[in-house]
């Protein structure tokens, strides 16, 4: 993918959750190495971030983050390699976004997320794998949540807590989302928790690691993620999670993996990678 194609959501005209306009950045001016004296983006950090919640940094000046390193428990390293710091502020490794500051993001520089992609084979009433009528390939299903911020279906990902191993974030985010949606007795919950722990013990298949083109990104703050696929091949692990497929009221469900299913952020391309790896329908 060309760098401008990778840099679309990060240049959306109006910054999410605000009426702040980004400074329009044409494709040929994305790169920081292209001289552009007229570039004059607004500085914006959302009021909710400036209130200094526990997950957010302070304004630069009131503290000095150690960029490109593990800063106490906060990981300020990028999966993309070392990034440039100019006048005390880190620069987005993919180029200009038309907005200075942090916007809705808590950290200066990389903001790390993790995306657990939990899959099973779609099966019919007698337990046989279902193949797609056109591609003839077996159909995968993945655990999907409806995001509260935008209402789009997504992988149940979330932010890596300071000091937390990504492998733990993957399991924690998945467990929270999946278990919260269940009406199960404490004993049933315990059984499910064990099954999830068992599945996440395997290293999984790393689908993606790096920068994400996200509408919240700014010149100084951006999203990065590690997406990992945990697959229940035999159907006797988390496949039995009683998430209601097809129930519109449900906020968590098994969804067929198919190129026509609209999904949040870069999640569709992550799933496409999973289908290639597992030789499944896309
Ligand atoms: C989401 C992840 C997503 C990341 C980048 C996070 O807020 O929880 O699922 O991959 O943002 O868009």
């Amino acid at each position: 993918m060309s760098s401008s194609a990778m840099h679309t959501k990060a240049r959306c005209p109006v910054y999410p959750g605000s009426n702040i306009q980004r400074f329009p950045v044409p494709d040929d001016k994305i790169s920081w190495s292209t001289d552009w004296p007229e570039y004059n983006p607004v500085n914006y950090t959302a009021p909710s971030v400036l209130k200094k919640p526990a997950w957010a940094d302070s304004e630069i000046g009131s503290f000095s983050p150690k960029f490109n390193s593990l800063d106490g428990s906060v990981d300020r390293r990028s999966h993309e390699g070392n990034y440039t710091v100019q006048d005390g502020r880190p620069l987005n490794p993919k180029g200009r976004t038309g907005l200075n500051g942090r916007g809705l993001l808590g950290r200066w520089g990389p903001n790390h997320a993790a995306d657990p992609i939990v899959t099973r084979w779609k099966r019919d009433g007698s337990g046989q794998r279902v193949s797609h009528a056109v591609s003839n390939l077996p159909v995968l299903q993945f655990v999907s949540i409806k995001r509260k911020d935008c209402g789009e279906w997504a992988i149940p990902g979330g932010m890596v807590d300071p000091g937390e191993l990504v492998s733990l974030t993957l399991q924690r985010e998945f467990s929270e989302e999946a278990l919260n949606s269940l009406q199960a007795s404490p004993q049933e919950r315990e059984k499910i928790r064990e099954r999830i722990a068992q599945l996440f013990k395997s290293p999984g298949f790393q689908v993606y690691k790096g920068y994400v083109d996200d509408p919240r990104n700014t010149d100084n703050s951006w999203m990065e993620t590690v997406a990992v696929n945990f697959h229940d091949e035999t159907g006797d692990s988390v496949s039995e999670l009683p998430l209601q497929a097809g129930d519109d009221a449900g906020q968590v469900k098994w969804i067929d993996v198919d190129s026509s299913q609209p999904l949040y952020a870069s999640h569709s391309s992550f799933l496409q990678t999973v289908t290639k790896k597992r030789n499944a329908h896309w």
Side-chain angles (χ1 to χ4, degrees):
M1 222 186 272
S2 76
S3 64
S4 59
M6 263 291 290
H7 206 58
T8 310
K9 294 183 183 166
R11 289 182 291 158
C12 58
V14 180
Y15 192 82
S18 77
N19 47 23
I20 307 284
Q21 304 269 341
R22 290 180 189 262
F23 195 95
V25 180
D27 288 356
D28 64 343
K29 296 282 193 326
I30 292 174
S31 172
W32 295 110
S33 58
T34 306
D35 202 32
W36 192 17
E38 295 80 23
Y39 184 55
N40 185 22
V42 176
N43 183 61
Y44 174 70
T45 299
S48 57
V49 173
L50 289 173
K51 266 190 223 142
K52 290 199 208 159
W55 48 268
D57 289 335
S58 304
E59 285 294 89
I60 285 175
S62 62
F63 86 124
S64 305
K66 292 185 190 67
F67 290 120
N68 289 307
S69 56
L70 188 59
D71 183 5
S73 61
V74 180
D75 195 354
R76 301 193 193 275
R77 293 168 297 189
S78 167
H79 295 306
E80 306 283 334
N82 274 2
Y83 48 88
T84 308
V85 179
Q86 202 177 64
D87 304 325
R89 291 187 175 201
L91 291 188
N92 186 315
K94 299 294 175 185
R96 298 181 173 104
T97 68
L99 197 89
N100 263 309
R102 281 175 291 161
L104 286 166
L105 299 177
R107 304 285 174 204
W108 295 99
N111 287 252
H112 292 289
D115 286 308
I117 307 172
V118 173
T119 52
R120 69 177 183 188
W121 293 111
K122 182 175 190 175
R123 291 175 196 271
D124 63 18
S126 60
Q128 294 302 305
R129 287 191 200 176
V130 174
S131 287
H132 190 267
V134 176
S135 69
N136 232 347
L137 289 167
V139 178
L140 281 172
Q141 295 183 315
F142 82 107
V143 175
S144 184
I145 57 146
K146 197 173 189 145
R147 284 185 67 104
K148 291 187 196 82
D149 54 356
C150 56
E152 288 177 290
W153 287 98
I155 296 161
M159 306 303 293
V160 181
D161 287 340
E164 187 178 47
L165 286 174
V166 171
S167 55
L168 186 66
T169 314
L170 290 162
Q171 185 176 330
R172 178 178 56 74
E173 289 290 343
F174 182 79
S175 308
E176 283 172 7
E177 301 286 358
L179 286 166
N180 281 346
S181 75
L182 292 179
Q183 294 193 325
S185 68
Q187 291 93 318
E188 285 170 319
R189 263 169 207 278
E190 207 30 57
K191 191 173 128 207
I192 293 166
R193 207 179 278 286
E194 276 163 27
R195 286 196 179 185
I196 294 174
Q198 196 59 36
L199 181 69
F200 279 74
K201 247 188 213 151
S202 70
F205 160 60
Q206 187 177 293
V207 174
Y208 181 79
K209 181 160 112 176
Y211 180 94
V212 192
D213 183 27
D214 187 293
R216 294 166 295 182
N217 292 351
T218 72
D219 285 0
N220 311 121
S221 296
W222 59 90
M223 289 301 311
E224 299 199 6
T225 199
V226 179
V228 183
N229 176 215
F230 299 94
H231 177 60
D232 179 8
E233 176 66 26
T234 47
D236 54 8
S237 165
V238 294
S239 288
E240 290 167 9
L241 270 184
L243 310 172
Q244 261 109 3
D247 172 6
D248 276 340
Q251 297 301 294
V252 185
K253 66 181 185 185
W254 290 100
I255 285 188
D256 291 0
V257 178
D258 186 290
S259 56
S260 65
Q261 170 68 45
L263 293 175
Y264 175 74
S266 321
H267 294 184
S268 189
S269 86
F270 297 164
L271 283 163
Q272 183 177 18
T273 305
V274 173
T275 60
K276 277 191 193 137
K277 163 84 179 174
R278 311 253 171 236
N279 200 19
H281 166 72
W282 174 239

